Amino acid sequence: MITDDPLDAWVPLYLQRGYVHWGYMGQERFTDPFCQDTLQTLARRPFNQLFRQRTGLDVLAQRAGSHPGLPLRGIVFHLSRCGSTLTAQALTALPDSVVLSEPPALDTLLQWLVASPGYGLEAGGAVLRGLVAALGQPRRAHDQRLFIKTDCWHICHIDRILGAFPGVPWLFLYRNPLEVLVSQSRIPALYMIPGFLAKHGWCPPEALLTRPLEHGAWVLAHILETAARAIRQYPGGMLVNYTELPDAIGSRINAHFKLNLTAADSGAIGLATARDAKNPQRVFQSDTAEKQASADAALQAMAARWLDAPYAELERLRGPFC
């Protein structure tokens, strides 16, 4: 269909130096485990390399009025390596749902808002809503609702995110952090780099700048502590432990996000959660016992110092609701 809207069926690929870079997406979906995978595929296409559009950041907030996008029905915060991608893929399997899984532009925008104190919560919230609206446009006639899975460290922006989307239900997914630490010791994520989160407002003790793994334990502790504060402060939150997955998707998460699953939906979720979310060729299997057995004395000491107490507090807060 031809329209006079120059950005119709286009999507923000990334933000850079105060500009939004757009690529043509058409009726395609975000089905990869992470938005970045889909966006990189789009960006490499010859058409988008030749005709990529660039606008100012203000266009996001302006377009949100005329192109509000799908209604946001749920936000997934998480600890990392805890089943959040499995949950996002289960939501993606629903035929009327669009899932934004860790969109890179969201991370960039949150960094900019930290670096620009002139953006208050109201102005920053307008741009944030505009970005989500641009990413979450309906691309098929039956698209009805939108979900976001944030990066794990975005819990540090939960005040801004929930302020921009008041009343939207949210959940925090987590697991025994010793198991996360074992995973990070094998394949470190970006947040393991000491100082990486300074651009998001979290600065580690100087002593940890030369100890990446313990720095990671410090980050995980901050994520857990912030989640505990948020669950006390903000309505609409729910705590979900990895040990509850995948069953919780069809039960507690179904009720919390008001998914109203049909038999066909439950079947689609069952197929999605039967496979490893990051490696669909493999069958999903809980790795709790293996990770617990792999934790050496050094990792156990780090967990005891930084993580045991905040994890126990979250489990206490979750207890009455599961």
Side-chain angles (χ1 to χ4, degrees):
M1 182 175 65
I2 298 175
T3 74
D4 58 2
D5 178 2
L7 291 174
D8 182 51
W10 291 63
V11 67
L13 296 174
Y14 58 89
L15 308 184
Q16 188 178 59
R17 298 190 180 93
Y19 290 98
V20 185
H21 293 256
W22 301 75
Y24 184 77
M25 189 170 186
Q27 293 184 318
E28 296 192 40
R29 297 185 66 213
F30 287 107
T31 57
D32 293 312
F34 301 97
C35 274
Q36 180 175 344
D37 300 329
T38 303
L39 295 172
Q40 285 181 342
T41 299
L42 292 174
R44 287 194 295 265
R45 290 182 179 164
F47 179 88
N48 281 327
Q49 293 189 24
L50 287 170
F51 300 108
R52 189 174 304 172
Q53 299 194 60
R54 189 182 78 167
T55 70
L57 200 62
D58 58 319
V59 169
L60 293 174
Q62 292 170 6
R63 282 182 62 81
S66 57
H67 299 75
L70 295 167
L72 184 59
R73 298 305 190 200
I75 305 171
V76 178
F77 297 96
H78 61 100
L79 183 63
S80 88
R81 313 285 170 90
C82 62
S84 61
T85 304
L86 184 77
T87 302
Q89 287 294 93
L91 294 172
T92 300
L94 301 176
D96 64 351
S97 298
V98 174
V99 180
L100 304 177
S101 181
E102 302 184 11
L106 175 62
D107 187 70
T108 304
L109 179 58
L110 291 171
Q111 290 179 45
W112 289 356
L113 294 176
V114 169
S116 306
Y119 267 104
L121 285 178
E122 184 174 344
V127 179
L128 185 55
R129 287 189 295 274
L131 175 62
V132 170
L135 288 166
Q137 289 292 306
R139 305 191 183 280
R140 303 164 302 164
H142 51 279
D143 285 340
Q144 298 294 321
R145 52 191 176 180
L146 180 69
F147 300 93
I148 296 175
K149 177 173 83 90
T150 69
D151 281 295
C152 66
W153 56 85
H154 291 167
I155 193 79
C156 73
H157 300 285
I158 193 167
D159 300 329
R160 185 182 294 279
I161 293 171
L162 295 185
F165 300 102
V168 173
W170 60 278
L171 58 85
F172 179 73
L173 277 167
Y174 65 106
R175 71 187 295 177
N176 187 317
L178 175 61
E179 297 156 19
V180 180
L181 208 54
V182 169
S183 178
Q184 294 294 350
S185 70
R186 297 170 178 172
I187 307 176
L190 283 174
Y191 71 76
M192 298 294 289
I193 302 171
F196 173 79
L197 293 181
K199 52 195 174 185
H200 287 278
W202 280 4
C203 299
E206 188 174 348
L208 299 183
L209 293 177
T210 56
R211 303 205 291 270
L213 197 54
E214 190 163 5
H215 166 268
W218 175 85
V219 171
L220 293 174
H222 270 56
I223 293 173
L224 293 170
E225 290 163 359
T226 305
R229 173 188 65 80
I231 205 72
R232 296 189 195 96
Q233 181 176 351
Y234 293 107
M238 185 173 74
L239 299 174
V240 179
N241 195 305
Y242 175 81
T243 58
E244 300 179 69
L245 297 177
D247 293 347
I249 298 169
S251 56
R252 297 182 65 219
I253 295 174
N254 174 27
H256 189 62
F257 282 169
K258 297 181 173 61
L259 300 178
N260 300 316
L261 298 178
T262 65
D265 292 338
S266 296
I269 287 176
L271 289 174
T273 57
R275 315 304 301 179
D276 186 297
K278 296 175 184 174
N279 187 358
Q281 284 69 44
R282 297 172 55 186
V283 174
F284 170 73
Q285 290 183 324
S286 172
D287 57 3
T288 296
E290 184 274 328
K291 283 191 165 60
Q292 286 285 340
S294 299
D296 61 21
L299 286 180
Q300 291 177 16
M302 283 182 202
R305 178 182 179 187
W306 296 103
L307 301 168
D308 285 0
Y311 177 63
E313 175 61 8
L314 272 188
E315 285 293 86
R316 184 189 70 79
L317 291 168
R318 180 177 69 98
F321 303 103
C322 62

